[in-house]
Amino acid sequence: MRLLVTGAAGFIGSHYVRTLLEGGYPGYEDADVTVIDNLTYAGNRANLPGSHERLTFVQADICDGDLLREVLPGHDAVVHFAAESHVDRSLRAASEFIRTNVAGTQSLLDACVTTGVQRVVHVSTDEVYGSIDQGSWTEASPLLPNSPYAASKAASDLVARSYWRTHGLDVSITRCSNNYGPYQHPEKLIPRFTTSLLQGRRLPLYGDGGNVREWLHVDDHCRAVQLVLTRGRAGEGYNVGGGCERTNRQLTELLLDLFAADWSSVEPVADRKGHDLRYALDDSKIREQLGYAPRITFEEGLPATVAWYRDHPDWWKPLVEENGDADE
Ligand code: NAD
């Protein structure tokens, strides 16, 4: 088995590849992995083993079709994580999001068709559905993205669907809620607040903190991606939820408690433009059809994640220097 994984120098893709190389996915203990990543500010080669007999790292852009057509032959499947992923950056400069997330996905799928690599998992997000005040989205809900990031991911989902429908590519789509865990860039909400608390800095909380997100540990997301890779159906999407809704205010309180800090450490800041109020997924499809269930509760995963950042200042301190704004 040979897998090609894009964007695996980033947060989620690196967790997936590390788990794969550690033998964490049954039946894939001997799988060889080729990673394609162009190492943007969000990519860090050190997130993966420096050398491993089953790992090949190729520093390249997924928009480079020639390179993809050179590298892809001989692979059995592609897991596509590569993306521009930070909502706030997409509000300031959207063009890179369209380039990588839309044109890059199209270039990758095109190269798969040309080289005969049939199986693809396209990793997407719940943000493609927009915002929902009550209830939850199923896979049949309309795509109503609100940020340029979400719009670029929704567009890539539609491109993926078209490559299934037009070219018969065996592509499945995952749409996951907010992830947290080790190795997440400190521009994102949980690491941003954690590293701020570790440095005695104040926490910039958007608006009244009433925005609701559903949190899932990265390890559970990656197991869901692996399930979809092995058992998901072509042309179908799979919601992957955390089942753990928290307002940003509640999340902030949990983090403050872990540091024995209080609300004087919080600095309310002007709300993000077009800030989605609530995301909520109905993930009964992947639970019922593929037997998925998250294993790590927020109560155990959050303190463990905070402990990881406490123990790894050498990893996050250089990134904080060039940090952006808080995000989820
Ligand atoms: P990340 O920003 O941490 O990592 C993205 C990786 O992609 C980086 O290593 C970067 O160098 C690479 N990359 C970017 N542009 C590239 C290009 N043109 N060519 C090659 N490589 C490129 O992102 P993440 O949080 O790990 O997210 C991974 C995927 O999961 C994304 O598709 C994202 O939309 C999706 N997702 C993320 C979350 C979340 O909470 N983080 C939730 C649901 C879905």
Side-chain angles (χ1 to χ4, degrees):
M1 170 66 63
R2 284 183 74 192
L3 288 184
L4 186 137
V5 184
T6 71
F11 165 47
I12 304 172
S14 72
H15 188 94
Y16 177 80
V17 168
R18 286 194 307 275
T19 308
L20 191 77
L21 294 175
E22 286 159 11
Y25 299 128
Y28 282 65
E29 291 86 351
D30 298 326
D32 291 315
V33 190
T34 304
V35 167
I36 290 194
D37 196 300
N38 68 345
L39 299 180
T40 67
Y41 78 95
N44 186 345
R45 179 62 184 85
N47 291 352
L48 294 168
S51 76
H52 190 289
E53 57 181 4
R54 294 194 282 118
L55 172 67
T56 305
F57 186 88
V58 181
Q59 184 173 352
D61 192 321
I62 55 164
C63 296
D64 184 346
D66 290 341
L67 182 284
L68 292 175
R69 283 185 288 277
E70 238 173 71
V71 174
L72 270 167
H75 289 86
D76 299 293
V78 170
V79 184
H80 177 34
F81 291 98
E84 287 291 334
S85 68
H86 188 41
V87 175
D88 283 342
R89 285 179 189 260
S90 83
L91 307 185
R92 295 192 291 265
S95 62
E96 199 55 31
F97 287 73
I98 302 302
R99 196 188 78 86
T100 285
N101 300 0
V102 187
T105 298
Q106 183 271 328
S107 141
L108 178 69
L109 299 177
D110 215 54
C112 288
V113 170
T114 308
T115 58
V117 177
Q118 265 295 110
R119 181 75 184 124
V120 179
V121 176
H122 171 60
V123 178
S124 190
T125 167
D126 58 355
E127 301 195 29
V128 298
Y129 296 119
S131 184
I132 187 166
D133 290 347
Q134 287 183 335
S136 53
W137 294 297
T138 70
E139 290 80 359
S141 299
L143 304 189
L144 294 169
N146 291 321
S147 71
Y149 162 67
S152 68
K153 293 295 292 187
S156 67
D157 289 11
L158 297 179
V159 171
R161 182 187 146 79
S162 78
Y163 271 74
W164 163 67
R165 193 73 186 164
T166 305
H167 298 293
L169 198 65
D170 184 358
V171 53
S172 306
I173 299 169
T174 61
R175 298 198 181 112
C176 188
S177 60
N178 277 31
N179 282 213
Y180 71 98
Y183 294 95
Q184 187 170 28
H185 194 285
E187 69 185 354
K188 305 284 170 61
L189 182 59
I190 288 180
R192 165 95 183 230
F193 279 17
T194 301
T195 57
S196 293
L197 285 161
L198 286 168
Q199 295 170 106
R201 292 189 184 165
R202 298 183 80 196
L203 313 182
L205 183 65
Y206 274 139
D208 63 2
N211 304 71
V212 179
R213 298 293 181 262
E214 199 179 346
W215 293 97
L216 183 69
H217 194 276
V218 63
D219 193 63
D220 283 323
H221 180 194
C222 288
R223 275 192 314 105
V225 168
Q226 182 64 12
L227 266 180
V228 171
L229 173 69
T230 51
R231 297 177 46 202
R233 292 172 55 167
E236 297 208 7
Y238 295 86
N239 289 345
V240 184
C244 167
E245 280 192 35
R246 295 283 185 282
T247 64
N248 286 349
R249 205 177 160 83
Q250 289 170 327
L251 170 62
T252 304
E253 261 162 21
L254 290 173
L255 288 170
L256 290 172
D257 283 351
L258 288 171
F259 283 85
D262 60 31
W263 277 91
S264 63
S265 298
V266 177
E267 182 182 3
V269 295
D271 207 355
R272 169 195 283 166
K273 277 195 217 169
H275 204 175
D276 288 333
L277 180 63
R278 178 171 173 265
Y279 302 141
L281 288 173
D282 175 341
D283 64 358
S284 45
K285 178 177 175 180
I286 191 169
R287 288 176 186 258
E288 286 164 17
Q289 293 187 9
L290 306 187
Y292 165 79
R295 290 178 181 164
I296 302 176
T297 63
F298 205 46
E299 287 66 32
E300 59 181 315
L302 188 65
T305 300
V306 167
W308 186 89
Y309 282 91
R310 201 190 293 275
D311 293 344
H312 294 84
D314 293 349
W315 185 86
W316 57 262
K317 276 193 172 159
L319 303 175
V320 165
E321 304 293 315
E322 54 193 58
N323 197 6
D325 298 327
D327 187 21
E328 335 43 70

